[in-house]
Amino acid sequence: MWPCVVSSFSRRLVASLGVCGRRKCCGTAAFMPEAPAFEGVRSRSELRDFSVSDSERFWAAVGNQRLSWISPFHTVQDCDLTQGRIKWFEGGKLNVSVNCLDRHVHTSPDRVALIWERDEQGSEVKYTYRELLEMTCRLGNVLRRRGVKRGDCVTIYMPTCPLAVAAMLACARIGAAHNVVFAGFSADALAERIRDAESNTVITVNQGVRGGKFTELKKTVDEAVQSCPSVQQVLVAMRTDTPVVMTARDVAMEEYVFSYHDGDVFGCVADIGWITGHSYTVYGPLANGGTTVLFESTPIYPDPGRYWNTVERLKINQFYGAPTAIRLLLKYGDHWVTKYDRSTLKTLGSVGEPINTEAWEWYHRVVGDGRCPVVDTWWQTETGGICIAPRPSEPDAEIVPGMAMRPFFGIKPVLMDTEGKVLTSNNTSGALCMAQPWPGMARTIRNNHQRFIETYYQPYPGYFFTGDGAYRSAQGYYQITGRLDDVINVSGHRIGTAEIEDVVNQCSAVAESAVIGFSHDIKGEGVYAFVVLKKNIDIKEDDLSRQLNKMVSKKIAKYACPDVIQLANRLPKTRSGKIMRRVLRKVVERDLDGLGDLSTLDDPTAVQEIVEGHNAILRKQQQKQQP
Ligand code: 6R9
């Protein structure tokens, strides 16, 4: 759970329970009301230790007190990591939409649940818990009437908007699964996901609006369903006034109402098509009775001040975004940030990739005015929620830039060496695994349990394998070094490419970079750096290369210096902002046929630019070799 939501929620809960503010136990009670019942737990770090050493009692208390059950669970957990068997709260039955809505409608119906930060700047719309519940129930009834039943999987192809959240919750309400597909995906990519989910119902809107551009979502669905025989109906809501052609399969949805109320404001700007949007825009904040922002736009529309304009207008308290966006905004300079009032901000979060030191410091110093903690949160789709983050911890506990640092409640990370042995010392690096189960973790892959076992449980028997590498510092803090596939071996030295990127990004001329390994006659693998310069920077390539070599030799070692530097206007990225190093590797290996599925790319033309840039480098190298 998002640390700040937990703590503010807990404070409210404490207030509502009338717990004494003077007793000694209240340090942890104010933070987590269940804590005083755990013997010997007096501080947050003791609470964390307890959550691992007696995880059953910890999760039983959390499960009992924070959720409404239709029938209570009889067994807290029945998990066996050696088998990949994950079962939590057996016998228990609950409805997640009831937990996200009805519970809060009961106590504070007029609290704002959603603030829809529409693409059109300054036209936000607020929905209370009562309104969101109404919308969800109506949509749930429509789905039920139209034959959607328990166990069905509904595909949602919509921009980040209240109706999309209501659609997710409506599915959950009637026991259907939802398959949220990012609304920027092509017809082919959408079709593949509809077929995978075997959906008979798709929910969409006539048009999407993002960054001032209109996208024909309904048309894309029309095209996709041509190759999806399972689809029987497409529910269509209107995001814009432009009518669309409706067929016999299509069902028009009516509009809904909205109103304005004040409340706590949680601003996770991830798209609901990603796991971050699921856990921290929709389910996490709503389950905790928070007010959550649905950000429909882009960080640079209509200009690079969009996020901070939104923070000022919506009075956002916690801002949660991705390093890629921070790096992008940093390129445009500080004035886009400082012209807006950011005094409501309390915590700044980062997720999705390692946040390089320069971006972390800019986020902290410029965006947060040096007064907001920056929390680098590590987790994955498979983990369901944040697993490693600097907070929660004692309020004055140190935060080290660019480090996720501390395991979250109930999380027991371990590092493995290449032989599969647990590394027990500090100041060491290895493959990041989890030694203990927790309730939010994935339980299977739909229709492919065998793949689930093979991917996550066979590499290190008895442990959940994350696929990431991590370093544990002398103080015992964790730093994620990147996907293990992104480790290269230069002259016998193994190094995570993220580590080199971190140094390259500290160069004042550099906006962002991607480092990959390439086959090298002498070193085994050489270092190939793709570099995007900041706006309006004029630097000779030789000077850049000299500067980078100096920095990398000083901060890492000479062997890690880039052998090749390729300047690029942009890097190929997934739509959630992760750099697709696989694509870069294929370009450098000259295996253009092996580029694989590019449908998840944000901007496929970026690849063409990279290929052309690489060709130019090869030509230059050939010219140099000629006598
Ligand atoms: C939440 C999310 C998961 C992968 C993960 C790791 C990378 C996420 C990170 C991070 C370094 C962080 N990742 N957070 N790397 N520091 N704070 O992003 O889920 O899309 O499944 O990606 O993202 O490599 O394994 P998902």
Side-chain angles (χ1 to χ4, degrees):
M1 191 56 266
W2 174 254
C4 296
V5 170
V6 170
S7 54
S8 63
F9 161 72
S10 311
R11 270 195 295 278
R12 279 202 301 276
L13 194 66
V14 170
S16 68
L17 291 174
V19 175
C20 152
R22 267 162 282 146
R23 286 212 319 264
K24 254 214 148 167
C25 64
C26 287
T28 48
F31 175 68
M32 183 178 174
E34 298 87 347
F38 305 142
E39 303 87 41
V41 172
R42 280 172 312 265
S43 67
R44 293 179 197 200
S45 57
E46 282 173 1
L47 182 60
R48 213 209 75 73
D49 291 348
F50 181 85
S51 74
V52 174
S53 65
D54 200 346
S55 79
E56 286 218 11
R57 268 192 64 203
F58 178 84
W59 290 118
V62 172
N64 275 321
Q65 307 213 4
R66 298 194 179 210
L67 297 170
S68 306
W69 296 86
I70 299 164
S71 42
F73 52 90
H74 53 68
T75 308
V76 180
Q77 62 126 335
D78 172 21
C79 299
D80 180 353
L81 296 187
T82 60
Q83 312 272 322
R85 185 176 71 234
I86 313 293
K87 290 185 181 177
W88 281 91
F89 303 126
E90 272 197 286
K93 210 170 137 191
L94 59 69
N95 187 303
V96 69
S97 99
V98 169
N99 276 280
C100 285
L101 299 173
D102 306 51
R103 240 165 19 115
H104 314 306
V105 169
H106 202 60
T107 54
S108 27
D110 294 328
R111 184 185 299 157
V112 175
L114 309 177
I115 307 180
W116 183 20
E117 172 64 0
R118 287 157 36 105
D119 193 54
E120 302 85 346
Q121 184 164 276
S123 69
E124 68 271 16
V125 181
K126 304 192 176 186
Y127 286 77
T128 63
Y129 272 92
R130 194 209 321 259
E131 287 162 344
L132 183 57
L133 175 63
E134 269 168 29
M135 180 156 54
T136 302
C137 289
R138 285 165 73 171
L139 196 46
N141 286 337
V142 170
L143 291 175
R144 227 188 322 233
R145 265 206 312 275
R146 305 203 65 91
V148 177
K149 355 175 252 316
R150 245 179 109 104
D152 287 354
C153 185
V154 174
T155 293
I156 298 175
Y157 183 67
M158 299 171 93
T160 297
C161 64
L163 198 60
V165 173
M168 293 165 79
L169 294 168
C171 289
R173 203 160 184 92
I174 64 172
H178 54 61
N179 171 36
V180 185
V181 179
F182 176 62
F185 276 167
S186 66
D188 285 351
L190 171 62
E192 193 187 322
R193 286 160 178 81
I194 294 176
R195 284 195 298 267
D196 211 44
E198 298 161 301
S199 293
N200 59 26
T201 302
V202 177
I203 309 181
T204 191
V205 296
N206 61 335
Q207 289 186 309
V209 197
R210 201 154 174 266
K213 296 196 192 88
F214 294 91
T215 43
E216 303 298 329
L217 298 191
K218 164 69 166 58
K219 265 197 200 139
T220 311
V221 173
D222 286 345
E223 201 182 321
V225 298
Q226 303 276 322
S227 59
C228 303
S230 61
V231 175
Q232 285 159 10
Q233 53 189 350
V234 177
L235 308 190
V236 187
M238 298 296 279
R239 167 62 179 86
T240 64
D241 295 331
T242 313
V244 283
V245 178
M246 300 288 274
T247 69
R249 194 183 39 226
D250 302 327
V251 183
M253 286 202 280
E254 345 140 33
E255 289 196 20
Y256 298 105
V257 288
F258 54 83
S259 78
Y260 181 101
H261 290 282
D262 281 336
D264 288 348
V265 185
F266 187 76
C268 170
V269 290
D271 192 279
I272 50 158
W274 313 123
I275 188 66
T276 309
H278 279 57
S279 296
Y280 293 100
T281 304
V282 180
Y283 288 108
L286 296 183
N288 284 290
T291 297
T292 184
V293 174
L294 303 179
F295 186 77
E296 186 182 43
S297 197
T298 81
I300 52 168
Y301 178 77
D303 59 50
R306 178 58 185 263
Y307 276 166
W308 325 119
N309 170 292
T310 306
V311 166
E312 175 181 293
R313 239 176 330 103
L314 307 190
K315 302 192 170 31
I316 290 175
N317 302 120
Q318 293 90 13
F319 182 88
Y320 196 21
T324 178
I326 302 300
R327 284 194 296 268
L328 172 75
L329 295 178
L330 181 157
K331 277 201 294 194
Y332 290 94
D334 300 0
H335 65 286
W336 289 108
V337 185
T338 50
K339 66 194 266 204
Y340 295 106
D341 176 7
R342 288 151 287 113
S343 57
T344 51
L345 285 175
K346 293 187 213 156
T347 307
L348 299 171
S350 164
V351 59
E353 273 188 292
I355 177 161
N356 52 295
T357 314
E358 194 197 13
W360 192 99
E361 277 167 359
W362 185 81
Y363 201 22
H364 183 252
R365 179 176 55 79
V366 180
V367 176
D369 272 332
R371 61 179 181 82
C372 303
V374 171
V375 291
D376 174 11
T377 63
W378 176 88
W379 59 292
Q380 314 177 292
T381 303
E382 296 86 337
T383 69
I386 294 169
C387 288
I388 307 182
R391 295 282 191 263
S393 47
E394 307 303 335
D396 52 353
E398 70 167 331
I399 295 185
V400 183
M403 261 201 179
M405 299 183 75
R406 302 180 177 92
F408 191 60
F409 293 113
I411 300 295
K412 191 173 176 190
V414 288
L415 299 180
M416 298 287 183
D417 69 10
T418 43
E419 260 111 68
K421 280 212 264 339
V422 175
L423 293 158
T424 49
S425 58
N426 281 352
N427 193 10
T428 189
S429 297
L432 180 66
C433 293
M434 298 293 165
Q436 229 170 260
W438 66 99
M441 72 196 304
R443 283 174 299 154
T444 189
I445 293 176
R446 190 179 153 91
N447 294 335
N448 202 344
H449 193 67
Q450 191 51 33
R451 184 169 154 217
F452 177 71
I453 304 285
E454 281 164 16
T455 312
Y456 304 109
Y457 293 97
Q458 272 173 9
Y460 298 93
Y463 297 86
F464 166 79
F465 174 48
T466 67
D468 283 346
Y471 164 72
R472 189 168 50 227
S473 72
Q475 295 88 357
Y477 299 144
Y478 289 86
Q479 177 168 32
I480 308 303
T481 48
R483 300 296 299 169
L484 282 170
D485 324 344
D486 293 332
V487 169
I488 57 177
N489 192 327
V490 188
S491 314
H493 304 278
R494 279 166 59 82
I495 180 161
T497 53
E499 216 177 318
I500 306 177
E501 286 164 14
D502 189 30
V503 177
V504 170
N505 291 346
Q506 286 173 47
C507 172
S508 59
V510 174
E512 65 177 345
S513 64
V515 168
I516 57 162
F518 70 102
S519 147
H520 191 286
D521 291 346
I522 301 158
K523 303 181 183 178
E525 272 186 288
V527 177
Y528 196 113
F530 293 86
V531 172
V532 179
L533 295 179
K534 282 190 190 141
K535 292 250 174 296
N536 307 322
I537 288 281
D538 189 19
I539 185 170
K540 288 213 188 75
E541 289 197 28
D542 283 351
D543 290 337
L544 177 71
S545 159
R546 251 194 305 276
Q547 276 186 28
L548 294 183
N549 283 347
K550 205 166 135 201
M551 291 171 73
V552 176
S553 332
K554 181 156 169 263
K555 299 206 171 181
I556 306 175
K558 220 169 170 166
Y559 71 82
C561 288
D563 296 280
V564 183
I565 296 172
Q566 177 174 335
L567 293 179
N569 289 325
R570 58 205 151 150
L571 300 170
K573 288 184 188 168
T574 64
R575 299 187 190 240
S576 63
K578 291 194 212 304
I579 297 168
M580 288 179 89
R581 294 180 181 73
R582 165 179 69 85
V583 169
L584 297 173
R585 276 195 294 267
K586 290 288 175 194
V587 171
V588 172
E589 283 162 14
R590 317 268 328 133
D591 179 13
L592 297 187
D593 293 334
L595 284 175
D597 178 14
L598 296 182
S599 66
T600 58
L601 266 177
D602 183 33
D603 180 0
T605 55
V607 179
Q608 199 43 44
E609 282 178 22
I610 293 286
V611 172
E612 282 160 19
H614 179 64
N615 288 342
I617 284 185
L618 291 183
R619 277 198 300 275
K620 248 195 237 165
Q621 286 177 344
Q622 276 161 4
Q623 278 164 10
K624 264 195 205 156
Q625 280 161 10
Q626 274 161 14

